Amino acid sequence: MPQSAVSIDLERLKTLLEGVNRFGYDASTGGYNRPGFSDEDVKVRDWFAGQMVSDGLSVRRDAVLNLFGRYGPADGPCIMVGSHLDTVVKGGAWDGALGACVALECVRSMQHAGIEPTTAIEVVATSEEEGRFGGMLGSQTITGTVTPDWVSRACDADGVMLSDAMTAQGLDPDRIADAAWPADSVAAFLELHIEQGPVLEKSSVPIGIADEVSGVCYLEVELSGTANHSGTTPMDLRSDAFAGLAELSVAIPEVIADKGTEQSRITIGNVSLLPNHPHTIPGKAVFSIILRDICENHMRALREELERRAADIASRHGLDLHIDERSWLSPVKLDGAIADRLERLAASHGLPAIRMSSGAGHDAQTMQAFCPSGLIFVPSRGGISHAPEEHSDWADIEKAANLYLHALIEMSA
Amino acid sequence: MPQSAVSIDLERLKTLLEGVNRFGYDASTGGYNRPGFSDEDVKVRDWFAGQMVSDGLSVRRDAVLNLFGRYGPADGPCIMVGSHLDTVVKGGAWDGALGACVALECVRSMQHAGIEPTTAIEVVATSEEEGRFGGMLGSQTITGTVTPDWVSRACDADGVMLSDAMTAQGLDPDRIADAAWPADSVAAFLELHIEQGPVLEKSSVPIGIADEVSGVCYLEVELSGTANHSGTTPMDLRSDAFAGLAELSVAIPEVIADKGTEQSRITIGNVSLLPNHPHTIPGKAVFSIILRDICENHMRALREELERRAADIASRHGLDLHIDERSWLSPVKLDGAIADRLERLAASHGLPAIRMSSGAGHDAQTMQAFCPSGLIFVPSRGGISHAPEEHSDWADIEKAANLYLHALIEMSA
């Protein structure tokens, strides 16, 4: 059988994903709970390690429980393939787990077809990608971008320190820095992930080739007015913090039309009013604005336009305005040569695919600063993720996994 | 001294209000805590009763701790005067307490001037006006509009049953119905209260003569969309529940311009988003709309217009809409003859006053269904109430209290 006719074993892949998802399943919600460094997160890695050992891979874990299984030459740079095994709380069955399973299935398919790689393949199941302690800890550990200062301060939403969560699992947080891979030890990184958005589904295309990842700006905005009686205060004598927030929200489409692109996303997701009482005009509104674009200049322009409009609205409503930039992550261009290779292979194998950007963050963007990286998406039904309703169709997954397999065969040859 | 030259003793009134406000003061917030049936609420009534006993009034309490002090003939209908002594939690020094103190000060002024009323005067300190258990329980008890069914179900925000709170203070909730006053036993009711709004201050007028009280409609609205990822979901593929809410909020001035009056008030004060996470498009928004007007037809038209626009917005944003009417209180016209009398007396005594409506609810509106009732406002600095910053100027209070005194002398003569 020519290498171009090799394909993945869909039933074997399904069985592998089912195996992963026996860990952390919560029947009461239908969701999966494998947050980073939870017991279920540790257990699923032991089970996945066992799978790779059975496959004859050389299996190791590092200081943060990144799990590696090497196929091919023991020495020299590798092609690293995989995704994360941790989930958010009440997450779906596909996010991360699918990418780790597809990577191992591709190695299994190569083994089954008798294809020995010239360049070693490292299947990786990364750690704490989802953000219990900030996210992408696994890929940041591999790329050596985790600082001891950050490690000593990181804690989850319940106030549990990262160092305590690691120690409770028998891990030593002081060893994180030593777990970085040497320069040039990874020739390329390839990840498959669910899209977590509706673009592929709406386009009826089974494969997305992500060539860039949006930057993210997180603004916390506070509008302060006067919390007066809803009955006694005439409409024209109010300083209603919520009315100001609402006006800013309604302006978002105009802000994007004026200063953004089709890739711009601006979201107000968290809103807290004070006193938040039905009969009292809101005296204060504290809310988040998440701003994303694939172009940093557009991000800056969008931010400036939002600030300009917020100041104008605050002035007209008699509100005080305070904007705090909580974080700014620049957009990342993934490796163009890998994206081109994926596009060419998709075309030559008759696999429908489109180039697209990623609105969500992934290990691939962390890895891109370290080695050429590529990212393949499969459609998410209804664009839903981080919820029990998360779903991807096996027919789509099979196509995307075969593209992944062909790329891996070619890159490791 | 002619009766028209009698005036209140401002220093005596200040001392009386200071006495009331020794109960429930919280130095940590600067606010006052005398919620209905709290220990401080019971204690302040004991102290106020002692004041009235010292003044030679005939003092009684009823089943809900309404406190009465009668001056003048033991038999026959009375002119009832006063306001409430309970406060919200962290309330101000003036709300309710000032009206009870002014009523007693007017009786003291009459005594001091040797004016014996032909019609008895009942000073009243009403109970639970502020709404720990719903509000206006004192005036509703006097007017016989409290039902045993309601009493058995009423509870506060912490889940404490009204019946338990009363029993803890040695009161018998089964006796509430018997506490109703007989028909025609109250010839008129007169209340002085802080405005709780900015109208008088903005008009630089020390006295407001309220001739009507706004009706209140409380709608709870639920908009349901899809809680998707803020990065992966393009702007045009969102069903953002908060974006829908914001559009409805921004439409409020238009709704009032189309269907309302200068007396219309529409407030969105309570907002709850799900999941309320910065990186997730809000899948659900549950919020309150408080709609007030002095005309019931306008209230209906405003409600219909809000519903029409909410349905349109929901349809455009792909949201499900559910509107629940939590309560509907009709507007109340206070007694026109009393308002005319107050206006005439203000003019003849050179006291600047304007007719106005009340946007807040007061015992006077409950009493109006039972006897002719009048309501006098004093300016609230910045329109602020239900907060430690609540303030009224003594110079204004003196003028309003003197108008109150002249009306009382005339009505009880």
Side-chain angles (χ1 to χ4, degrees), chain A residues 20-270:
Chain A
V20 166
N21 283 325
R22 278 196 290 272
F23 297 88
Y25 180 64
D26 177 358
S28 71
T29 64
Y32 297 85
N33 300 324
R34 297 191 300 265
F37 305 110
S38 65
D39 289 348
E40 292 301 311
D41 178 46
V42 173
K43 281 184 202 162
V44 75
R45 288 164 197 280
D46 286 343
W47 181 84
F48 203 81
Q51 291 286 306
M52 294 198 292
V53 167
S54 302
D55 295 328
L57 305 191
S58 164
V59 175
R60 296 102 54 221
R61 290 172 187 78
D62 71 7
V64 296
L65 284 189
N66 281 321
L67 177 64
F68 303 97
R70 191 175 182 101
Y71 173 53
D75 299 318
C78 68
I79 310 293
M80 193 175 279
V81 291
S83 190
H84 60 97
L85 280 181
D86 63 308
T87 68
V88 296
V89 173
K90 205 176 146 185
W94 313 80
D95 187 342
L98 179 67
C101 291
V102 165
L104 180 54
E105 169 53 32
C106 287
V107 167
R108 287 173 168 178
S109 298
M110 289 173 70
Q111 290 177 322
H112 195 73
I115 304 171
E116 295 270 350
T118 306
T119 302
I121 297 170
E122 288 274 3
V123 175
V124 63
T126 58
S127 284
E128 214 303 83
E129 191 272 349
E130 286 291 10
R132 178 181 171 192
F133 297 101
M136 303 203 196
L137 177 61
S139 49
Q140 290 177 354
T141 297
I142 293 168
T143 59
T145 49
V146 184
T147 65
D149 178 55
W150 179 84
V151 171
S152 69
R153 287 184 290 108
C155 69
D156 71 9
D158 296 326
V160 176
M161 301 299 295
L162 168 63
S163 52
D164 292 337
M166 289 183 66
T167 308
Q169 298 295 355
L171 302 166
D172 180 356
D174 292 338
R175 291 186 52 231
I176 294 180
D178 299 335
W181 285 51
D184 303 325
S185 59
V186 184
F189 177 76
L190 206 55
E191 181 173 15
L192 179 146
H193 204 278
I194 59 169
E195 181 201 337
Q196 302 179 265
V199 173
L200 290 173
E201 186 183 61
K202 294 277 175 187
S203 313
S204 300
V205 175
I207 304 172
I209 299 167
D211 47 16
E212 50 197 353
V213 182
S214 291
V216 188
C217 168
Y218 179 172
L219 303 176
E220 188 176 271
V221 185
E222 191 176 299
L223 285 170
S224 304
T226 310
N228 272 337
H229 194 291
S230 70
T232 59
T233 314
M235 300 307 287
D236 59 345
L237 296 179
R238 298 179 170 207
S239 295
D240 182 334
F242 181 69
L245 156 56
E247 223 174 290
L248 187 61
S249 171
V250 168
I252 286 174
E254 281 173 38
V255 169
I256 292 177
D258 286 0
K259 305 289 179 181
T261 69
E262 287 200 351
Q263 300 300 325
S264 303
R265 317 266 186 267
I266 300 179
T267 306
I268 296 176
N270 177 271

Side-chain angles (χ1 to χ4, degrees), chain B residues 126-290:
Chain B
T126 58
S127 285
E128 215 305 80
E129 191 273 349
E130 286 290 11
R132 178 181 171 192
F133 296 101
M136 303 204 195
L137 177 60
S139 48
Q140 289 176 355
T141 297
I142 292 167
T143 58
T145 49
V146 184
T147 65
D149 178 55
W150 180 85
V151 171
S152 69
R153 288 183 290 107
C155 68
D156 71 9
D158 296 327
V160 176
M161 301 300 294
L162 168 63
S163 52
D164 291 338
M166 289 183 66
T167 307
Q169 298 294 356
L171 302 165
D172 179 356
D174 292 338
R175 291 186 51 232
I176 293 179
D178 300 334
W181 285 50
D184 304 325
S185 60
V186 185
F189 177 76
L190 206 54
E191 182 173 14
L192 178 146
H193 204 279
I194 59 169
E195 181 199 338
Q196 302 179 267
V199 173
L200 290 173
E201 185 182 62
K202 294 277 175 187
S203 313
S204 300
V205 175
I207 304 171
I209 299 166
D211 47 16
E212 50 197 352
V213 181
S214 291
V216 188
C217 168
Y218 180 172
L219 302 176
E220 189 176 271
V221 185
E222 191 176 299
L223 285 170
S224 303
T226 311
N228 272 337
H229 193 292
S230 71
T232 59
T233 314
M235 300 306 288
D236 59 345
L237 296 179
R238 298 180 170 205
S239 296
D240 182 334
F242 180 68
L245 156 56
E247 224 173 289
L248 187 60
S249 170
V250 167
I252 286 174
E254 281 172 39
V255 169
I256 292 177
D258 285 0
K259 304 289 179 181
T261 69
E262 286 200 352
Q263 300 300 326
S264 304
R265 317 268 185 265
I266 300 178
T267 306
I268 295 176
N270 177 271
V271 171
S272 167
L273 301 185
L274 273 176
N276 207 27
H277 184 272
H279 290 277
T280 306
I281 299 159
K284 189 179 278 196
V286 183
F287 55 100
S288 62
I289 298 181
I290 302 291

